[in-house]
Amino acid sequence: MKTKVGVVSLGCDKNRVDTEVMLANLVAGGYEITSEPSEADVIIVNTCAFLESARKEAIDTILEMANFKRDGRCQKVIVTGCLGQKFGDELYNDLYEADAIVGTYEYDKICDIVAETLTGERNLYRGCNEGITFGARVLTTAPHVAYLKIADGCDNYCTYCLIPYIRGRYRSVTIESAVEQARELADRGVKELILVAQDVTRYGKDLYGEPKLVELIQQLSQIQQIQWIRLLYCYPELMTDALIEEIVNNPKVVNYVDIPLQHVNDGILRKMNRRSNAQSIRTLFDKLMQKGITVRSTFICGFPGETNDTVAELDEFLRNYKLRNVGFFAYSREEGTKAAQFDNQVHPRTKQRYVKQLYATQYRVATALNQGDVGAVYQCIIDESDGCDGEFYLYKGRTYFMTPEIDGCVYVTSRKQLEAGNTYSVKITGVLEYDLVGEVVE
């Protein structure tokens, strides 16, 4: 009988890709994958360690999975990912519920690690952060959607962030490797390709001496089956005119980018060690608005030195530029980062007040944008069936400005059956908070 392995993946979409590579390695090694922890002989928890809240979620999940060693058939719990890479020694010494601790660059050895752990050995497996997890994958997304991780690590060294200390320096895969994997994904039915890295706009600079994202996009666009290409995590200082024109003029690239600004105040940006400033951000966003490119962004609230005035500046930016999708996060004081040592730390209650204030502003902006969509016709990709209501078939889909599992969705009705992964013309007829309601038009 095959050993059954269950995998729980936490954290970002880049971590999801690592999980998918690990799953493929396990299948190739003769293990059976199960989605039910109670049926697993071995449970792997692939962790995130970016923020204290993520680390707490990881520890809670590990302890929850360890209960299956008592209540299920589970024999071993293995911890992989960023938590093991950054805090492996502490976990090995203190978290005895974990039978093996594995860093972020050992996924190609996961079959051997599982076998060794099943023999009773408890080990820490943590190599240097110089490689990149890439290769065959078992997709955990909808069959028509896949993330393509084009780089790992980060060279930006923002003062609040642990990523460079966990994932190492920025490292790109080659254009040839990225295109080859995209072709393999397309052959398996993928129609929407989502490019991810800590900073996709920096792609290729380490290999080719200059960013090569435009060239990569152009080659990916030649893959016939790929219909939509989506860009996540574009840093503002590298949003060049050439890249903007490629987004606007390439029919396969959706007019949507995720640009994690973090703030728009000059003083806060300098303390964060961001490479952009208030004026360059506004100049860029004026250009993006003129070109009709929708932007998603994230902001940190309550960074050391934050005041009512700096929050008011961000509030005004949101009202002026009317971003459709925005996330706000209270600053997390992470040990090992420069910002943790800064003066003028903000009280936790004040951070939460800032988050609440900005979310209220963004809610009003998003509501107005969604109400303005009523009557518009968008091309929507269908993700899944939502049943049938009398003479109408019901579906969940997305427009170009909706990233799966991050942004809202469109609840679609149709008199005819639709196929998941295909795009259809949908007229927007209503709004449900951050989601839209529409019907297929001929």
Side-chain angles (χ1 to χ4, degrees):
M1 185 187 308
K2 288 185 177 181
T3 299
K4 289 188 176 183
V5 180
V7 180
V8 179
S9 185
L10 305 174
C12 66
D13 41 48
K14 299 178 289 294
N15 218 38
R16 179 199 285 262
V17 174
D18 291 348
T19 296
E20 293 176 345
V21 171
M22 182 163 50
L23 287 169
N25 288 333
L26 288 165
V27 170
Y31 292 96
E32 182 178 342
I33 305 301
T34 177
S35 60
E36 295 295 333
S38 60
E39 299 177 359
D41 301 297
V42 177
I43 299 175
I44 298 173
V45 182
N46 197 24
T47 60
C48 175
F50 179 47
L51 299 174
E52 182 181 355
S53 58
R55 296 194 292 274
K56 182 180 185 303
E57 180 188 18
I59 295 297
D60 289 345
T61 303
I62 294 164
L63 296 177
E64 180 186 354
M65 293 302 107
N67 289 332
F68 287 100
K69 290 195 283 188
R70 181 188 67 238
D71 302 330
R73 60 185 279 179
C74 179
Q75 302 172 46
K76 302 291 180 180
V77 171
I78 297 175
V79 176
T80 65
C82 293
L83 195 67
Q85 186 68 31
K86 177 63 177 175
F87 301 100
D89 292 330
E90 294 93 325
L91 294 177
Y92 186 77
N93 292 328
D94 300 331
L95 191 66
Y96 290 99
E97 289 83 357
D99 299 290
I101 312 296
V102 184
T104 53
Y105 301 96
E106 310 295 331
Y107 300 127
D108 59 334
K109 306 172 186 172
I110 192 64
C111 293
D112 292 337
I113 291 171
V114 170
E116 290 171 10
T117 305
L118 281 170
T119 66
E121 295 185 27
R122 185 172 186 268
N123 286 311
L124 169 62
Y125 304 85
R126 183 178 55 184
C128 60
N129 51 7
E130 295 179 355
I132 179 168
T133 303
F134 199 76
R137 294 155 55 187
V138 172
L139 294 183
T140 60
T141 51
H144 56 278
V145 178
Y147 292 93
L148 182 65
K149 188 169 78 167
I150 60 176
D152 207 343
C154 185
D155 287 346
N156 289 324
Y157 287 92
C158 300
T159 58
Y160 53 81
C161 184
L162 284 171
I163 292 298
Y165 307 102
I166 299 173
R167 291 283 185 167
R169 300 299 298 267
Y170 194 90
R171 306 174 304 284
S172 306
V173 303
T174 64
I175 290 177
E176 293 78 12
S177 296
V179 173
E180 180 182 3
Q181 182 162 114
R183 291 189 187 280
E184 292 171 355
L185 293 169
D187 289 342
R188 293 163 58 182
V190 168
K191 298 180 180 180
E192 180 177 0
L193 204 59
I194 306 174
L195 273 55
V196 292
Q198 194 65 26
D199 175 1
V200 299
T201 40
R202 194 174 298 274
Y203 169 75
K205 187 174 182 180
D206 55 311
L207 295 180
Y208 307 109
E210 60 182 356
K212 290 290 185 179
L213 181 59
V214 171
E215 289 83 346
L216 175 61
I217 291 171
Q218 290 171 346
Q219 293 203 31
L220 294 173
S221 301
Q222 296 175 20
I223 302 174
Q224 183 177 359
Q225 302 97 312
I226 299 298
Q227 297 179 8
W228 282 9
I229 297 174
R230 188 179 297 275
L231 307 179
L232 297 191
Y233 319 126
C234 300
Y235 277 52
E237 64 272 12
L238 289 176
M239 284 292 300
T240 63
D241 288 344
L243 177 57
I244 292 171
E245 291 303 315
E246 185 67 26
I247 294 170
V248 172
N249 296 320
N250 187 326
K252 290 195 174 183
V253 182
V254 297
N255 282 17
Y256 166 112
V257 290
D258 187 309
I259 303 178
L261 291 177
Q262 310 307 358
H263 217 287
V264 297
N265 172 266
D266 273 335
I268 297 293
L269 289 168
R270 282 194 298 270
K271 291 183 70 175
M272 287 180 168
N273 195 36
R274 301 289 287 180
R275 313 273 176 102
S276 53
N277 57 51
Q279 183 56 54
S280 67
I281 288 172
R282 286 165 173 80
T283 299
L284 170 64
F285 274 62
D286 287 338
K287 189 179 301 183
L288 294 173
M289 289 181 65
Q290 182 183 10
K291 296 289 187 178
I293 297 175
T294 298
V295 179
R296 187 187 203 283
S297 192
T298 51
F299 297 95
I300 295 173
C301 307
F303 188 79
E306 185 92 272
T307 65
N308 290 340
D309 288 342
T310 61
V311 173
E313 184 176 350
L314 180 49
D315 192 290
E316 181 184 21
F317 179 89
L318 294 170
R319 286 185 279 108
N320 287 343
Y321 286 96
K322 296 178 173 53
L323 310 187
R324 188 174 284 272
N325 301 299
V326 181
F328 303 96
F329 302 91
Y331 165 69
S332 180
R333 190 176 185 178
E334 298 297 327
E335 183 180 352
T337 63
K338 289 185 178 180
Q341 306 303 317
F342 288 172
D343 295 331
N344 300 319
Q345 297 285 333
V346 178
H347 193 279
R349 283 199 297 271
T350 305
K351 296 178 194 177
Q352 293 303 325
R353 175 166 61 83
Y354 291 153
V355 170
K356 186 176 180 180
Q357 173 187 336
L358 294 169
Y359 262 125
T361 296
Q362 178 57 28
Y363 179 79
R364 291 191 291 272
V365 169
T367 298
L369 290 172
N370 285 344
Q371 292 289 353
D373 285 327
V374 175
V377 176
Y378 290 116
Q379 287 295 303
C380 288
I381 191 167
I382 298 300
D383 284 331
E384 60 180 294
S385 171
D386 206 20
C388 184
D389 180 16
E391 60 182 312
F392 292 101
Y393 296 98
L394 309 178
Y395 298 90
K396 288 182 182 179
R398 289 175 292 109
T399 69
Y400 73 91
F401 51 77
M402 295 173 173
T403 296
E405 301 180 13
I406 298 176
D407 304 322
C409 69
V410 183
Y411 291 95
V412 179
T413 61
S414 173
R415 292 184 180 276
K416 299 179 180 179
Q417 285 187 293
L418 308 180
E419 185 175 345
N422 284 352
T423 56
Y424 300 87
S425 295
V426 175
K427 182 178 181 179
I428 305 303
T429 58
V431 177
L432 295 173
E433 269 198 316
Y434 288 104
D435 299 321
L436 300 175
V437 179
E439 57 187 18
V440 172
V441 294
E442 296 298 334

